[in-house]
Amino acid sequence: MTPGRHTPDPREARTPAEFLARLQALKDRSGLTYRELSARAEARGDVLPRSTVANMLARATLPREELLTAFVRACGASPDELAEWRTVRTELAGRGAYGTAHADPDVDPDPDVDPDRTDPADTDPAEATGPPPAWPGHEAGVAAAAAPHGGPGTPSRTPPATSSRIRRALVAAVAVAGLVLAGVSVVALLRDGGSGRAGRPPGTPAAVAPAVAPAVGDVRIRVTGTDFCLAERRGTRTGQVHQVPCAEPDFPRYSLATAGTGRWRIVSDHPDFGPGCSGIPSGGRIPDSAYEDSECGDPSRVEAFALEPYGTSEGAVRGYRIVPVGSATPGTCVTVVGDREAAWAKLAQAPCTPDASGQLFSFDRRD
């Protein structure tokens, strides 16, 4: 990894939680999925099970040194950068006053056992979806705001005038944020032609189309109006979802599971990697993030979706939009990008459009 101003710097971490936040940022910057990280580690002779990485990043305790080494190397860090990560970890492990300082002994002690591989349909929705994704830089801002001005127990040295200016700045920032959110809502309303979701006048019930309506169970996800269905490419580890001719064998097989009221989880069953979930990486912070299959329960991914009916003025449902719930990039839909007439076109997060071109899907039930 080439150092730069966006490279996460472990030396800025003052607590284990901040250290883990920077490890998450390192993964995000690498652009690699858990599958790819595991494969890169294996090529180097390291052991880095995918479930272990997910567990490590979801906790607030320091990882074991060998796990840290395998992860940072797989992310593409140079030997000097790796040395910095290991040095900071050692220093934090001795600072009990700064938070949880011990390494977590429970992070996947047996690489062959995957504690997260449970049936998503049996998972509590509140736990499965994870916390709302943070905007870029949020962790750094929170860390800066929470950082003490002196040692433990040292009173704040901020002068009253400075505190007043900070309060005024915060009030102004909140006001601006409110205006921005209001603007986004207006744009979304105008984009749908002054109607509610799925092009319906506000308060109008959604039309029912039993043949295409989503339901719990095994499905074949078809791109509406085409002979393409969703699938991965055989022999790859990325989890990228493409559109392929529906005549092709399922790879992987998909099913729908509920994830709370009005929310769905799209579950994949991969012949090589086992069960997983379709989702958007990095909390949807990158506007054109890939739509991909990976392990379920990763708090850094958006794995819950609203399947919104999209209809005509006569009320007939043409298909369903797959809308990421809680994406850091609002107003987006899962979209076929590139040449929509071609097989193997990729799917990604993209702005929802008024005509829903490349954004409508049907969920054909399996026998």
Side-chain angles (χ1 to χ4, degrees):
M1 179 180 297
T2 302
R5 65 186 183 91
H6 296 298
T7 302
D9 189 349
R11 295 171 297 182
E12 297 176 352
R14 299 176 61 86
T15 67
E18 292 178 9
F19 187 76
L20 267 295
R22 282 158 179 77
L23 284 177
Q24 177 67 61
L26 184 68
K27 176 187 177 296
D28 293 345
R29 186 176 184 277
S30 74
L32 299 172
T33 65
Y34 290 133
R35 293 179 186 175
E36 292 171 316
L37 286 171
S38 180
R40 290 183 64 163
E42 183 179 350
R44 289 176 173 267
D46 295 328
V47 177
L48 189 66
R50 301 186 304 277
S51 62
T52 302
V53 181
N55 286 343
M56 176 187 74
L57 296 178
R59 304 189 184 204
T61 50
L62 294 172
R64 302 188 308 272
E65 185 168 322
E66 60 269 25
L67 174 58
L68 173 69
T69 298
F71 175 79
V72 173
R73 287 177 53 173
C75 287
S78 67
D80 289 342
E81 290 172 328
L82 173 59
E84 289 181 354
W85 284 98
R86 295 176 64 169
T87 298
V88 173
R89 181 207 171 277
T90 300
E91 292 175 352
L92 288 175
R95 297 182 189 176
Y98 285 88
T100 305
H102 61 280
D104 191 345
D106 299 323
V107 177
D108 201 12
D110 184 353
D112 296 326
V113 177
D114 192 342
D116 289 340
R117 289 296 190 180
T118 57
D119 183 357
D122 297 332
T123 304
D124 181 73
E127 296 179 355
T129 54
W135 288 91
H138 171 75
E139 295 88 352
V142 172
H149 296 285
T154 303
S156 172
R157 300 177 183 273
T158 305
T162 301
S163 299
S164 178
R165 286 195 298 271
I166 292 175
R167 284 195 297 271
R168 289 197 297 270
L170 288 175
V171 171
V174 171
V176 171
L179 291 174
V180 171
L181 290 175
V184 170
S185 300
V186 171
V187 170
L189 183 63
L190 293 177
R191 185 181 59 227
D192 287 334
S195 62
R197 287 181 180 266
R200 304 189 306 272
T204 302
V208 178
V212 298
V216 172
D218 294 338
V219 295
R220 191 81 192 268
I221 306 176
R222 182 187 301 271
V223 182
T224 300
T226 75
D227 291 325
F228 292 127
C229 291
L230 304 193
E232 294 183 40
R233 188 185 293 274
R234 287 182 181 273
T236 63
R237 293 174 175 267
T238 65
Q240 171 70 59
V241 178
H242 304 260
Q243 66 172 15
V244 303
C246 293
E248 296 283 336
D250 294 6
F251 189 85
R253 294 175 66 92
Y254 289 107
S255 61
L256 292 179
T258 57
T261 304
R263 299 184 179 187
W264 297 84
R265 182 170 289 105
I266 301 173
V267 182
S268 61
D269 186 5
H270 196 285
D272 299 325
F273 304 116
C277 289
S278 300
I280 307 295
S282 302
R285 291 191 292 268
I286 303 173
D288 56 351
S289 294
Y291 177 68
E292 62 182 23
D293 295 330
S294 190
E295 286 70 22
C296 299
D298 177 1
S300 71
R301 302 174 74 232
V302 177
E303 295 181 350
F305 298 93
L307 305 181
E308 298 182 351
Y310 181 94
T312 64
S313 57
E314 291 77 23
V317 174
R318 291 173 47 198
Y320 289 80
R321 282 172 164 163
I322 302 177
V323 180
V325 175
S327 173
T329 306
T332 56
C333 292
V334 172
T335 306
V336 179
V337 296
D339 185 357
R340 292 171 181 161
E341 303 297 323
W344 299 108
K346 296 180 179 181
L347 277 77
Q349 173 182 252
C352 300
T353 59
D355 62 358
S357 179
Q359 299 176 340
L360 296 183
F361 304 89
S362 62
F363 298 88
D364 301 343
R365 296 301 306 276
R366 296 184 178 279
D367 296 332

